[in-house]
Each structure stands twice: as structure tokens, then as C-alpha cells.
Amino acid sequence: MASGMALLVRLRNVFKSRTAKIQAEDEWLDSISPIGGDPLNYFVRYNTWANSARFKAALAMFPRFFSTGGWMALAATHYNFIREIPMLASYEVRLSVGGWDQKWIYVVAKFVTKPSKKGKKTSKALKQSTPPSEVDTNGTLFNASLRTDNEVSITDTPADTNNPSLRTADALKAVTASLSSQHEPDGAILHTICVSQCCFKIGRITVPPAVILAANGFSAPAPPLADGSPAIPYSRSNPPPHWAKAKAVMSRPLGGSIRKLQELFKGGWRNVPEAERWWDVAMSGVVEERRKKGLDVLQSLGLGIAGARNL
């Protein structure tokens, strides 16, 4: 889809000068980039199956990355089924970024259905059956504490905490409890949660997610104005502070290029002094705080699976 759009942009500008073509292509890439988006509060929705939705979401969120020939590797997928989707019912997959570390990025997909007018009473009962969260989410995707079966067990025989399958199950319960407590704004019913563990690759080289996110325009929300007025949200017309430095690397009209961006992704980011790493600035503040809160729960999903190798 993205390659088709890129071809269409080139065809539209085929009779323009070389400079005009370069400018048009750069403006098009900006137009499809999530400039100013909060990486932990950015959602895309698709009426399709999980793999297709994940692929479309990646194209929508990281167009600058894929323009360099990058690709995403899927390491693991964890599902938790809450309630069945009725036969032949229409459903929607809602995807967002749950968190990331130096290597992995975790993509959360929620399978939801929209209640019909006739089924309002039923949907209300379904919502009430979801265990409420005792933690104020405060805009954070994950706030559930991870507990072992020993902490909640009322039986005489404690659960085996060394069992990797139980550890993974505990983590899934924590993720589900947190997400289930946050009702969809349109009243949709949550059926399944899927957490995908992915990484960004240029060839065989792994690229830190923070670099990719910032290079595609994601950033922490804009702060309030000096006079106390509400913040003006970042956007293409009001880009975040780091965007000028990112564009200097990847924008051809500004002296950048796809090759320079590739070099940054392939390891050039290591040569940038820490005080000049614009991607760290973009992912700082409230975004960094929320990322850390969610990462502990998300990483624990992989601990149980990794432990299964020793069985």
C-alpha cells in the first residue's frame, strides 16, 4: 500500500524539476508520519485479522523506517482470551505501543466488538463482570502489579513459582487486568488482548526503538505555555523540538538523505554524544515515566517463555 502511494506521488510529479520532485516526496513522507504523536497514546484501528492489522499499523507508524529498507522481526506473541467473539460478528483490532527497551518494542492489540442497540443490557453486564482496577491509571497503559499465585492462593498447597507457564500466565493476567479496567471510550466490548514482542532491523542489525520512534515524529506531549495557558499539541504545523534535527539527517531538501538515515539506524546513533541524542529528548518526560511503568509487566511475559527452554 505504502509503495503504491509512493509510486503515485512520483507519477504526479513526473514532469516537475528534480528539486520539485524531491520536495514533493519529502512533504508526502511528512504527511504520512505521526509527527507529534504520543507513542504510548497513539492508536490505529483495523477491521481485519491480527497479522494484517499489525502489518498495517507498522506502516502507519513507521513510514520513515521502512523507507530505508528496514523490517520488523516478530519474536513472540502472547494472547489472552477474555470472552468469545460471537459467530459472524464484526470485530475491530485496536493497536498501540505498550512499551519498549533498548531492543524490543511491545505492540498491544485489543479485539473489540461494538454492542448493538438491542444488546446494551448484555454489554453492560459484560463490562461489570470485568474485575475493576484499584489503581488510578493516570493515563498509563499499564499499572497492574505482577503477583505470583502464592500471594493470592487460598489453598494449602502453594503454586510452583518456578513453573515458566505459570509466570507467563501471571503476566498475562496482569496485562489483562490493567487493560480491562480501562473501558473503551465508545463503549466497545473487549474480547481478546494480544501482546507482540518485536524489534526493528536494518539487515541483521537491531535498531533501538527510541531512535525509530523519534525519527518518525513521535515525541512527549507539548508542555503548557509559559503564561499557564494550555499546551498547543505538536503536529506537522507545530512540530516537536527534536524534529528539526531529525529532518537534518533524513530530509533531502535539508541536506539529509535515506543513506544518512540508514547509517544512523545501523549504528551511527552510538557515535552521537549523549547530550546531542535528540531521540532521547523526544522520548523523555512523561513518556519515559509511563514507559518504565509498563515495561516491567510486558517484559515478564517473556520470562516464562524463556524459562520453558530449560524444561
Side-chain angles (χ1 to χ4, degrees):
M1 181 176 65
S3 59
M5 292 174 63
L7 179 60
L8 183 59
V9 170
R10 291 172 182 170
L11 288 174
R12 285 176 178 172
N13 298 282
V14 67
F15 296 113
K16 293 184 178 180
S17 65
R18 183 173 182 273
T19 301
K21 290 178 182 178
I22 292 174
Q23 184 66 39
E25 185 174 340
D26 188 67
E27 291 178 356
W28 171 71
L29 282 169
D30 278 357
S31 71
I32 63 172
S33 299
I35 300 173
D38 182 339
L40 295 173
N41 194 29
Y42 189 89
F43 301 88
V44 290
R45 306 178 180 188
Y46 301 101
N47 296 90
T48 184
W49 51 296
N51 288 343
S52 177
R54 190 164 49 221
F55 176 74
K56 291 179 179 179
L59 290 178
M61 292 174 145
F62 314 117
R64 290 280 184 176
F65 171 64
F66 290 110
S67 71
T68 64
W71 58 286
M72 292 184 72
L74 176 64
T77 304
H78 309 276
Y79 284 88
N80 197 7
F81 301 95
I82 301 168
R83 55 181 66 90
E84 69 174 348
I85 298 176
M87 184 73 71
L88 303 180
S90 298
Y91 67 91
E92 185 176 76
V93 184
R94 300 178 177 180
L95 298 101
S96 61
V97 173
W100 64 89
D101 54 24
Q102 273 294 99
K103 178 178 181 180
W104 303 109
I105 186 168
Y106 297 87
V107 180
V108 178
K110 294 189 285 186
F111 293 72
V112 303
T113 58
K114 297 180 179 179
S116 62
K117 294 181 179 179
K118 294 181 180 179
K120 281 187 176 180
K121 293 183 179 179
T122 303
S123 63
K124 185 177 181 180
L126 285 172
K127 285 183 181 180
Q128 291 175 343
S129 67
T130 302
S133 173
E134 297 179 358
V135 183
D136 181 9
T137 58
N138 193 28
T140 305
L141 182 60
F142 296 109
N143 268 290
S145 60
L146 181 61
R147 301 183 180 183
T148 65
D149 287 348
N150 284 336
E151 294 177 274
V152 296
S153 176
I154 58 173
T155 62
D156 294 332
T157 304
D160 180 7
T161 55
N162 293 320
N163 188 324
S165 63
L166 289 179
R167 292 166 67 184
T168 302
D170 288 339
L172 281 169
K173 288 176 183 177
V175 172
T176 303
S178 182
L179 289 175
S180 298
S181 67
Q182 303 175 38
H183 298 312
E184 297 299 299
D186 58 353
I189 301 169
L190 179 62
H191 292 267
T192 298
I193 292 173
C194 169
V195 179
S196 300
Q197 182 183 13
C198 309
C199 63
F200 297 100
K201 293 280 190 179
I202 293 286
R204 295 178 61 86
I205 300 173
T206 301
V207 190
V211 181
I212 301 296
L213 289 165
N216 283 277
F218 285 109
S219 75
L225 301 180
D227 60 1
S229 303
I232 301 175
Y234 291 137
S235 62
R236 185 182 175 190
S237 58
N238 179 39
H242 81 280
W243 191 238
K245 293 182 179 180
K247 290 279 285 183
V249 176
M250 60 192 178
S251 175
R252 294 176 69 186
L254 297 178
S257 65
I258 290 180
R259 175 169 291 184
K260 288 183 179 180
L261 187 59
Q262 282 179 331
E263 291 174 354
L264 179 73
F265 290 161
K266 286 182 177 180
W269 60 269
R270 293 188 179 90
N271 301 324
V272 179
E274 290 190 10
E276 300 177 15
R277 294 184 176 181
W278 42 266
W279 53 89
D280 286 340
V281 175
M283 299 295 110
S284 62
V286 294
V287 167
E288 176 63 9
E289 293 174 7
R290 286 186 278 133
R291 181 193 73 84
K292 288 181 178 178
K293 286 182 179 179
L295 190 61
D296 288 342
V297 175
L298 289 164
Q299 286 182 328
S300 64
L301 286 172
L303 296 178
I305 297 299
R309 297 176 183 174
N310 299 322
L311 294 179

